[in-house]
Amino acid sequence: GQNIDQPTEMTATEGAIVQINCTYQTSGFNGLFWYQQHAGEAPTFLSYNVLDGLEEKGRFSSFLSRSKGYSYLLLKELQMKDSASYLCAVPLVFGKGTRLSVIA
Amino acid sequence: KAGVTQTPRYLIKTRGQQVTLSCSPISGHRSVSWYQQTPGQGLQFLFEYFSETQRNKGNFPGRFSGRQFSNSRSEMNVSTLELGDSALYLCASSFVAVSSYNEQFFGPGTRLTVL
């Protein structure tokens, strides 16, 4: 079977850096995704990792370690608009999401 | 390019009724996946259709069914509604099958309330 674990909630300060962790167990591996979902809206794609290492995309970076079944999403220079749920996913299986609150 | 559209956006039904939800993918996308989202369980996979064939199916009872048409539009049907079926139903499209890795584009969802 497949299982994904991530923290339920996190709070961080505007301008700071936050790391959202994700651990997964899968029977096969075809890559790991991160999606952002603002309240009342649909999820939108943020990043994809299929090889070990760090993928950087502007203020957002995502890291993957396949041997450890571990990934994280790093958000830098936090802005109020980054307050949202962040979903870790392998194809067809999503974590329950980490609700990030950015405070002033 | 138009995004994924879902109709209706909101729906209220009573227990025992049946409901059909519709999803139109992004033009050129051949894969449509359906998910149920609830506060307690998060986003749960229902099924995926690719070129009119069901490719994958999640762990939901047979009351949940779907189909895909030749123009890639998809419908999802839930029969004999239960209170626990109240949820946001999200449709997502991608160019190729999701299991082959592909970014998914989500529609705005249909909010179903069962009374």
Side-chain angles (χ1 to χ4, degrees):
Chain A
Q2 303 189 100
N3 189 52
I4 296 179
D5 289 310
Q6 50 182 130
T8 305
E9 292 189 39
M10 297 183 73
T11 301
T13 306
E14 192 176 16
I17 299 173
V18 70
Q19 178 174 312
I20 302 174
N21 296 323
C22 168
T23 58
Y24 63 91
Q25 298 90 40
T26 62
S27 53
F29 185 75
N30 285 318
L32 186 138
F33 301 79
W34 284 95
Y35 285 82
Q36 180 191 56
Q37 186 176 24
H38 284 100
E41 298 182 11
T44 55
F45 172 80
L46 282 178
S47 69
Y48 168 71
N49 294 71
V50 67
L51 300 176
D52 291 353
L54 189 68
E55 294 280 342
E56 297 187 75
K57 190 185 293 186
R59 294 189 299 114
F60 292 10
S61 302
S62 56
F63 172 83
L64 176 68
S65 169
R66 288 174 294 171
S67 63
K68 296 181 179 178
Y70 168 70
S71 174
Y72 68 72
L73 180 69
L74 193 70
L75 291 75
K76 303 175 186 176
E77 301 169 15
L78 280 172
Q79 302 176 10
M80 301 300 285
K81 67 178 181 180
D82 297 329
S83 293
S85 284
Y86 292 86
L87 309 173
C88 173
V90 296
L92 305 180
V93 181
F94 281 74
K96 293 185 179 180
T98 298
R99 185 180 304 164
L100 174 66
S101 297
V102 180
I103 59 176
Chain B
K1 187 185 265 191
V4 178
T5 58
Q6 292 186 245
T7 56
R9 292 293 311 279
Y10 301 91
L11 206 50
I12 299 176
K13 293 285 187 179
T14 56
R15 281 179 298 176
Q17 286 188 307
Q18 167 182 293
V19 67
T20 298
L21 312 181
S22 180
C23 171
S24 292
I26 291 172
S27 178
H29 284 193
R30 296 163 65 189
S31 168
V32 173
S33 299
W34 289 90
Y35 296 86
Q36 181 194 67
Q37 188 173 36
T38 59
Q41 297 300 317
L43 210 62
Q44 293 187 288
F45 171 70
L46 282 157
F47 27 68
E48 179 199 10
Y49 287 88
F50 182 79
S51 294
E52 301 178 66
T53 301
Q54 188 177 87
R55 286 279 302 246
N56 292 285
K57 189 176 190 304
N59 189 27
F60 278 81
R63 300 185 296 107
F64 292 81
S65 63
R67 58 178 176 168
Q68 187 179 34
F69 302 95
S70 58
N71 62 357
S72 293
R73 189 177 71 84
S74 177
E75 288 183 348
M76 190 192 95
N77 185 77
V78 188
S79 62
T80 319
L81 283 167
E82 300 178 358
L83 295 179
D85 298 333
S86 294
L88 180 67
Y89 290 87
L90 290 163
C91 160
S93 79
S94 58
F95 185 66
V96 295
V98 175
S99 55
S100 302
Y101 159 60
N102 217 251
E103 170 188 350
Q104 294 182 80
F105 295 83
F106 284 83
T110 295
R111 172 73 63 185
L112 172 65
T113 301
V114 182
L115 303 176

